Amino acid sequence: IPSGTVVMYAHIVDGWAQTDLYRDYIHVTDFGRLMVSYMWYAQLTGEPLTEVKIDTIQASLRHRRAISLGDMEVTPEMKQTIIDAVAYSLEHPLEIPG
């Protein structure tokens, strides 16, 4: 499952800063984890991803370092990035987007 490709797409093509995607340049942030989870869903079910059905990530579900920040809003821009990144990664697994 091309989890790395989906995150690289968000960074290279959509211009998300690495600090928005990685906590420490190895582990993804809550937004990165959400994106990767949708990648896994699309890959395992075989269904195309046409929408993102979540508007917030509740503090109780967030990484322990981010719980103090409260709920995280998932913006329309984030949702579109997830949809585009997953679609690209399904068509071009393990390729560097560009």
Side-chain angles (χ1 to χ4, degrees):
I1 296 177
S3 301
T5 306
V6 77
V7 177
M8 289 184 70
Y9 179 94
H11 174 60
I12 294 171
V13 176
D14 279 359
W16 287 88
Q18 286 189 353
T19 53
D20 292 331
L21 301 170
Y22 294 99
R23 292 192 320 259
D24 56 8
Y25 295 102
I26 296 172
H27 300 96
V28 290
T29 61
D30 293 324
F31 172 48
R33 291 189 322 174
L34 179 64
M35 194 169 10
V36 169
S37 67
Y38 273 102
M39 179 70 236
W40 275 73
Y41 171 82
Q43 182 76 44
L44 293 174
T45 65
E47 296 177 17
L49 187 61
T50 56
E51 64 180 302
V52 175
K53 300 178 181 181
I54 190 168
D55 293 320
T56 59
I57 301 174
Q58 297 174 353
S60 61
L61 300 176
R62 297 184 71 196
H63 186 271
R64 61 181 157 70
R65 293 182 186 170
I67 288 174
S68 63
L69 301 174
D71 293 350
M72 183 181 99
E73 179 185 358
V74 180
T75 66
E77 182 183 16
M78 294 165 99
K79 290 179 181 185
Q80 192 59 51
T81 294
I82 292 169
I83 292 167
D84 294 344
V86 168
Y88 176 87
S89 298
L90 288 172
E91 292 178 23
H92 307 283
L94 308 177
E95 290 182 21
I96 297 174

